[in-house]
Amino acid sequence: MKREELKKILNERVLVLDGAYGTELAKRGYPDVPEKVVLENPQAIKKLHEDYIRAGANAILTSTFGANDVKLSKFGLESQQEKIVNSAVEIAKSASNGSLIFGDIGPTGELPYPIGEMKFDDYFNTFKKVASLILKAGVDAIILETFTDIMELKAAVLAVRELSKEIFLIAHLTFDENARSLTGTDPTNFALTFNDLDVDAIGVNCSLGPQEILPIFEEISKYSDKMLVVEPDAGAPILKNGKTHYPVGPQDFAFYVDSFWEAKANIIGSCCGSDPTYTAAISKRVGKRSPIKEKAKKVFAFTSPTDIADLDDFVVIGERINPAGRKKLQQHMKDKNMDAVMKVATGQKEAGAKALDVNFGLEQFVDVGFMSDTVNSIAYKLGTPISLDIQSFEALEYVLKRYPGRALVNSSRADEEELTKKLELIKSYGGMLVVLSMEEGVPTSFEDRKRAIEKALKMAESFGISKERLVFDSIILAVGAGASPKETLKAIEYLNESGLKSVVGLSNISFGMPNRSYLNAAFLAMAVSSGLSSAIMNPKDQNVMQMLEASLILNGKSLELKVQKGEGDTNQLVDLILSGEEKKLLDYVDELLKAEEPLNVIENHLKPAMDVIGDMYDKSKIFLPQLILAAQTAQKAFEKVQSLFEKKESSEKFVIATVKGDVHDIGKNIVATILRSAGYDVVDLGRNVAPEKIIDAIKSEKPVMLGLSAMMTTTAPKIQETIEKMKEEGISLPVIVGGASLNEELAKDLGADFYAQNATDAVKALKNIKKGS
């Protein structure tokens, strides 16, 4: 089916998508991953498809959720990828009886660079391969489900679109109870970023029940004009008589259908824990409704994975990642010295920059891969939205394609040829565009600027790009060269009155003049009064920053400063760890070691600092990418100090494993990283680990605690099996468990002593026990 045909159907009525496969197949006696069931028990897959269709599903999912080669390799099935995909699609077709078939693609289960090993191209090639097979087999749509990271999902979208412009495409992100994805993206950010991309529908599935997922879905709906899809779980799982149950029954689940419909849902389904009875209840409630159509709220904003630079608030864009006149920084970029660039970026953010303008100077001498890695490192590790000040079109395309969010592209003249290329770029890869209020020559008057602005707006409209994706540079000319700033101020005022956003390169006003700081500050005050939205400037200039803050207050606004700082006596150490500046941290630790014993440095300084950082994470002051960066940096300090220990002072051990039958290890790996950074000797047994191997490790390593991870509901009982075998062996050891399939109640029912909702919970649990207890 062509995408326009499906769009027409969805414009006329709300469709019902089927329910869970993994949990339902397990309940029916097929506990293996669906891809393996496809090969070994295809009749079970067909029967479940048929049951969902009889229950009222208008669309069914192919059993290819985990059929990407990265995921299949964890089960030793990568060589059978083509057979799995072809069989899964054929089974769905044989059962469909006229129902739509959605080719299902899930994530790889691997974290993105720089917090993990996977780069954009790794994701892209992986998804292109599986999508190619699904498209060749023939489906009505492709749905990208249960993704936890915005860059991985973007890579999947672009991979599908490179293969087909005709397939209807749905993109889902999964959120936790704090309304954040695993790597820190909130629903508004998700909606803004994927509004720009060539997807037909966006939505949310898994991890939460209908009550918890509703406000997240409503927020996505508020900011997105795409069609919308929602698939909640049947609540948080609980254990009854040794079996996993989901507490939200079919009728209670269907109660929320009205709310999802009111939030503009076009497709409603169900996820983990559901079965055909849920589909029947949803179908009955949905009936023959038409979808609600309301325009989304328009926002002028660009993003990183974890933050939004909203131009309705004044945005300070740090200017110092620019090697112009700075030979040392240019050399660092040539040499691929990431640490040097990150140091500049960190300093700009700590001084008050909400976003960062990234310029690579003489680009022909800078590796394009380094450009992309640098931009993504800043975006993930600092959480700072980026303005891409890249002159080479090819390099800009390379970096923008791989950017994890909605970047600001800086910039384009209102020249027909140049603006066309830049508009096509953001249309393909998303983002906002800075348009210079000039055509061929330098504008001397307000009228010149106005003419360029109006031309750019018309061109953008012809490309289907809304004004909310444009920011206009009002063009500051050097006052020292005789230019009048009044023409620039007129343009800013015109843009403000027209409901448009403006930006200026502040330091241009004072070029070649003495007392530049004061001139910059004075002009900025005048520009803010005229309605300026943002400025590319140096936030370390206190004259300018103080004038900005005063000007905003006098104009009824305020300056949002989100500077990540520690608290109390560990303040300096916390800041060093958060900055990622390893050398500075180790130098600081050297100074501590001159005055204190190694063990005291760990107990009185490093551990308390990591406690503060853990608390910042718990309070959402930082997110997973920043936590992992801090952990990786702190671990170097712990290793340095621990190398000075005598044997009797060796670190306490912690054994961790993903249970038998489960190959998911993102959460386990994060916990291991955080615990190492907290000074523990972590023994990681890997994934798919049998109880016997875990017990052997406990006996040989003598840890203070055991950590067990289970991502899938079907493997959660393996936790209980492992704990029972420990008891049979006479082993008394605290056990902490975690994973997407678990919660506090289920952990207790499985026999665990502690439940870790996130990595920092494991650190807290270890504090509550004593070695040998």
Side-chain angles (χ1 to χ4, degrees), residues 364-401:
Q364 65 268 36
F365 299 112
V366 182
D367 179 74
V368 72
F370 174 76
M371 291 184 189
S372 183
D373 288 349
T374 298
V375 165
N376 286 5
S377 291
I378 293 170
Y380 274 110
K381 290 183 175 182
L382 296 185
T384 314
I386 300 293
S387 164
L388 297 175
D389 196 355
I390 300 174
Q391 305 313 306
S392 160
F393 183 83
E394 291 73 22
L396 176 59
E397 181 176 26
Y398 185 94
V399 175
L400 181 62
K401 180 179 182 179

Side-chain angles (χ1 to χ4, degrees), residues 85-305:
V85 171
N86 289 339
S87 297
V89 175
E90 186 55 42
I91 293 166
K93 285 180 176 179
S94 69
S96 67
N97 193 28
S99 293
L100 297 167
I101 298 172
F102 288 2
D104 197 10
I105 298 177
T108 61
E110 300 293 330
L111 286 170
Y113 174 88
I115 54 174
E117 299 300 322
M118 292 285 281
K119 291 195 176 183
F120 176 93
D121 294 277
D122 299 321
Y123 287 132
F124 183 89
N125 293 332
T126 295
F127 294 123
K128 186 176 179 180
K129 186 176 179 183
V130 67
S132 176
L133 293 170
I134 290 173
L135 288 166
K136 187 177 179 181
V139 293
D140 298 300
I142 283 183
I143 182 168
L144 308 168
E145 287 193 297
T146 326
F147 280 68
T148 59
D149 174 73
I150 204 162
M151 184 175 74
E152 183 178 15
L153 183 56
K154 181 178 180 180
V157 165
L158 295 179
V160 172
R161 278 291 172 244
E162 184 168 294
L163 294 165
S164 171
K165 301 292 184 186
E166 295 299 325
I167 194 72
F168 190 92
L169 180 58
I170 304 168
H172 277 194
L173 204 60
T174 294
F175 299 87
D176 62 21
E177 61 280 356
N178 296 316
R180 292 275 178 173
S181 73
L182 178 66
T183 51
T185 301
D186 69 21
T188 301
N189 189 335
F190 169 52
L192 292 176
T193 300
F194 282 82
N195 276 345
D196 294 355
L197 299 180
D198 189 14
V199 295
D200 300 291
I202 67 172
V204 56
N205 76 293
C206 206
S207 294
L208 301 171
Q211 181 177 355
E212 296 77 19
I213 222 168
L214 177 59
I216 293 170
F217 185 72
E218 288 174 333
E219 188 174 347
I220 294 171
S221 171
K222 182 178 179 182
Y223 292 101
S224 179
D225 274 328
K226 301 288 187 183
M227 291 182 172
L228 299 170
V229 185
V230 62
E231 305 171 69
D233 285 349
I238 57 177
L239 197 68
K240 285 185 179 179
N241 302 320
K243 293 185 178 180
T244 306
H245 292 265
Y246 285 78
V248 181
Q251 298 309 315
D252 289 338
F253 191 104
F255 172 78
Y256 290 92
V257 164
D258 291 346
S259 297
F260 291 127
W261 174 69
E262 289 168 0
K264 304 189 296 185
N266 297 89
I267 301 175
I268 302 173
S270 54
C271 205
C272 298
S274 68
D275 58 37
T277 63
Y278 289 76
T279 305
I282 294 168
S283 179
K284 183 177 180 181
R285 193 79 175 225
V286 168
K288 301 292 183 182
R289 299 189 204 203
S290 296
I292 290 176
K293 298 170 186 175
E294 291 179 0
K295 287 289 183 183
K297 182 178 178 180
K298 298 299 183 182
V299 180
F300 291 86
F302 56 109
T303 73
S304 70

Side-chain angles (χ1 to χ4, degrees), residues 502-545:
S502 54
V503 64
V504 294
L506 183 60
S507 61
N508 291 340
I509 192 73
S510 62
F511 185 77
M513 295 288 287
N515 300 316
R516 295 191 67 183
S517 174
Y518 294 105
L519 280 171
N520 292 344
F523 178 80
L524 185 57
M526 297 167 71
V528 167
S529 293
S530 297
L532 184 67
S533 310
S534 59
I536 300 172
M537 53 183 275
N538 182 10
K540 289 192 171 185
D541 187 328
Q542 288 302 302
N543 290 327
V544 174
M545 290 297 283

Side-chain angles (χ1 to χ4, degrees), residues 497-746:
E497 291 172 352
S498 302
L500 300 168
K501 300 301 180 183
S502 54
V503 64
V504 294
L506 183 60
S507 61
N508 291 340
I509 192 73
S510 62
F511 185 77
M513 295 288 287
N515 300 316
R516 295 191 67 183
S517 174
Y518 294 105
L519 280 171
N520 292 344
F523 178 80
L524 185 57
M526 297 167 71
V528 167
S529 293
S530 297
L532 184 67
S533 310
S534 59
I536 300 172
M537 53 183 275
N538 182 10
K540 289 192 171 185
D541 187 328
Q542 288 302 302
N543 290 327
V544 174
M545 290 297 283
Q546 288 169 8
M547 183 64 80
L548 173 60
E549 190 163 10
S551 300
L552 289 169
I553 290 170
L554 292 174
N555 284 278
K557 299 180 179 181
S558 62
L559 181 64
E560 181 189 13
L561 290 177
K562 278 192 175 179
V563 182
Q564 296 166 4
K565 290 287 184 182
E567 301 164 358
D569 295 335
T570 57
N571 191 5
Q572 187 177 355
L573 192 52
V574 168
D575 293 343
L576 284 172
I577 293 171
L578 283 172
S579 75
E581 292 188 61
E582 184 181 313
K583 185 178 185 305
K584 276 191 176 181
L585 173 63
L586 295 180
D587 289 344
Y588 185 85
V589 169
D590 281 336
E591 291 301 312
L592 292 175
L593 288 168
K594 290 177 183 178
E596 300 183 47
E597 293 297 317
L599 189 59
N600 288 339
V601 170
I602 284 182
E603 296 297 331
N604 298 334
H605 298 279
L606 290 174
K607 281 188 176 181
M610 287 306 296
D611 289 343
V612 171
I613 289 168
D615 188 55
M616 292 172 75
Y617 174 73
D618 290 340
K619 293 177 179 176
S620 296
K621 292 181 179 178
I622 60 172
F623 299 97
L624 183 65
Q626 294 89 51
L627 179 66
I628 290 178
L629 167 67
Q632 291 169 345
T633 305
Q635 189 175 333
K636 301 296 183 183
F638 276 101
E639 290 172 355
K640 180 183 183 71
V641 179
Q642 288 168 344
S643 68
L644 305 174
F645 281 175
E646 296 178 13
K647 279 193 174 181
K648 64 179 181 180
E649 294 178 318
S650 61
S651 303
E652 296 173 320
K653 287 188 176 181
F654 179 89
V655 169
I656 190 168
T658 300
V659 296
K660 181 70 175 176
D662 203 321
V663 297
H664 300 86
D665 59 0
I666 281 184
K668 172 185 68 65
N669 293 343
I670 292 169
V671 170
T673 298
I674 301 307
L675 286 178
R676 287 189 183 105
S677 75
Y680 291 93
D681 183 358
V682 177
V683 180
D684 187 346
L685 302 180
R687 56 188 184 228
N688 191 24
V689 184
E692 294 77 15
K693 184 176 178 181
I694 293 170
I695 288 170
D696 288 344
I698 292 171
K699 290 177 178 178
S700 62
E701 301 293 345
K702 298 181 172 51
V704 295
M705 183 181 278
L706 171 67
L708 296 175
S709 174
M711 171 74 174
M712 300 187 297
T713 307
T714 52
T715 57
K718 288 293 181 181
I719 291 175
Q720 188 174 43
E721 180 184 333
T722 302
I723 292 172
E724 287 175 353
K725 285 187 180 295
M726 286 169 60
K727 290 177 181 177
E728 290 172 8
E729 293 281 336
I731 296 172
S732 177
L733 181 70
V735 177
I736 185 167
V737 299
S741 65
L742 303 176
N743 53 57
E744 189 86 48
E745 185 176 353
L746 182 55

